[in-house]
Amino acid sequence: MKKYEAKTVEAAVELACEDLMMERESLMYEVTMEKKGLFSKKAEIMVFDLSDVIEYAENYIKDAIANFEIDVTTKSTISDDIIRISLSSDHNSVIIGKNGKTLQAINELTKLAVSSKFKRRFRILLDVGEYKNDKYQKIVRMAKRIARDVQKTKVTATLDHMPADERRVIHNALANMHNIKTESIGEGRKRQITIKYVD
C-alpha cells in the first residue's frame, strides 16, 4: 500500500494517478483521512493493488482456519479477473465439509472480508486439493447429459440450487449447445439454473 496526501481527496487521487501512471478508473484506493476545516483542508488516501488484496485474503483464510486448529498453506493465481486461492492442509476433508459446504462458507466470508476492507468487490474462488475442479467436471457432465435430454424432449429442466461459481461453469459449458438456453432463477442461495429448448 502507498499513501498519498493532498488538500482534497480528488487532488490526492490525481497525485496517485500521476505518480503511478494509471487511469483513475483503474486506481484502487481507500480514503483514510479527510479534514475540511475552515482554515485548513487535508485528505489522505491509501492506494493498493491486487497483491495487497491477495495478501489480505490469504491471511484472513489462515486466521479463520486456525480456529479449527488446522494449519493451512495457500497459493494464489489470477485468471479471468478471478483470484483463485488453492488451500492445502493435513485436514482437507474438514475444510471442504459435507458437500463442500464448509469451503463455500469460508469462500463467502473471505469475499465479504475483502470487500469490506477494500471497499469494492473481488471475485475470489477457493479450492482444496482440486475438489472444486473435480466437482466442476462432474456438474458439467451432468448438465450436458440433461441438456441432450432437453434437446430431444423440448421440456425445460431445472437443476438443484448451487453457488454462483458452479452456475457460471454450467452457463459457459452449455453456451454453444444447439437449441439450448440456460438461465439462472431464484434468489440468493436458492438460485438455480433452468435448461430450456429454443428454436
Side-chain angles (χ1 to χ4, degrees):
M1 287 196 179
K2 202 170 178 184
K3 184 165 73 174
Y4 291 89
E5 293 178 1
K7 287 193 172 181
T8 64
V9 170
E10 189 63 39
V13 168
E14 276 181 33
L15 194 65
C17 288
E18 209 173 285
D19 181 46
L20 300 169
M21 292 183 282
M22 290 176 74
E23 295 293 319
R24 187 194 169 98
E25 302 79 50
S26 306
L27 191 74
M28 296 187 283
Y29 67 92
E30 178 185 357
V31 178
T32 50
M33 188 258 292
E34 188 174 12
K35 286 182 182 172
K36 294 180 179 177
L38 195 59
F39 301 108
S40 69
K41 292 180 180 178
K42 192 177 179 185
E44 181 184 281
I45 64 169
M46 293 294 283
V47 175
F48 57 92
D49 61 24
L50 274 178
S51 65
D52 298 313
V53 176
I54 291 168
E55 184 183 354
Y56 180 83
E58 287 184 349
N59 288 335
Y60 179 85
I61 292 161
K62 286 172 184 172
D63 289 345
I65 294 174
N67 291 322
F68 297 106
E69 297 183 352
I70 296 173
D71 287 328
V72 67
T73 58
T74 57
K75 184 181 176 188
S76 298
T77 56
I78 300 170
S79 62
D80 303 325
D81 289 334
I82 301 173
I83 299 170
R84 298 175 188 271
I85 306 175
S86 181
L87 315 179
S88 181
S89 82
D90 292 334
H91 302 279
N92 283 351
S93 59
V94 175
I95 296 171
I96 293 167
K98 189 177 179 184
N99 295 325
K101 292 276 196 291
T102 305
L103 181 62
Q104 193 64 39
I106 296 168
N107 204 143
E108 289 304 314
L109 288 171
T110 304
K111 283 199 290 190
L112 285 170
V114 168
S115 64
S116 173
K117 168 74 177 170
F118 295 101
K119 307 295 185 280
R120 65 185 285 179
R121 290 178 65 179
F122 292 91
R123 286 167 66 187
I124 297 172
L125 185 62
L126 307 188
D127 198 359
V128 177
E130 294 297 305
Y131 169 80
K132 272 291 186 184
N133 283 334
D134 292 345
K135 189 164 188 188
Y136 290 158
Q137 288 174 18
K138 283 179 192 166
I139 62 174
V140 163
R141 281 197 299 271
M142 173 204 68
K144 284 184 173 177
R145 189 180 69 246
I146 292 170
R148 284 192 291 272
D149 288 342
V150 171
Q151 283 174 326
K152 289 176 197 166
T153 63
K154 301 184 182 179
V155 175
T156 297
T158 304
L159 306 182
D160 291 339
H161 54 84
M162 60 183 71
D165 60 302
E166 293 176 16
R167 292 196 312 273
R168 195 176 302 113
V169 166
I170 291 176
H171 285 306
N172 290 340
L174 303 186
N176 296 318
M177 275 189 84
H178 200 56
N179 298 117
I180 289 293
K181 180 186 176 188
T182 60
E183 205 170 57
S184 285
I185 58 168
E187 295 296 324
R189 292 182 180 180
K190 298 287 185 186
R191 275 179 83 71
Q192 301 167 277
I193 285 183
T194 57
I195 302 174
K196 299 177 178 179
Y197 182 89
V198 288
D199 288 324

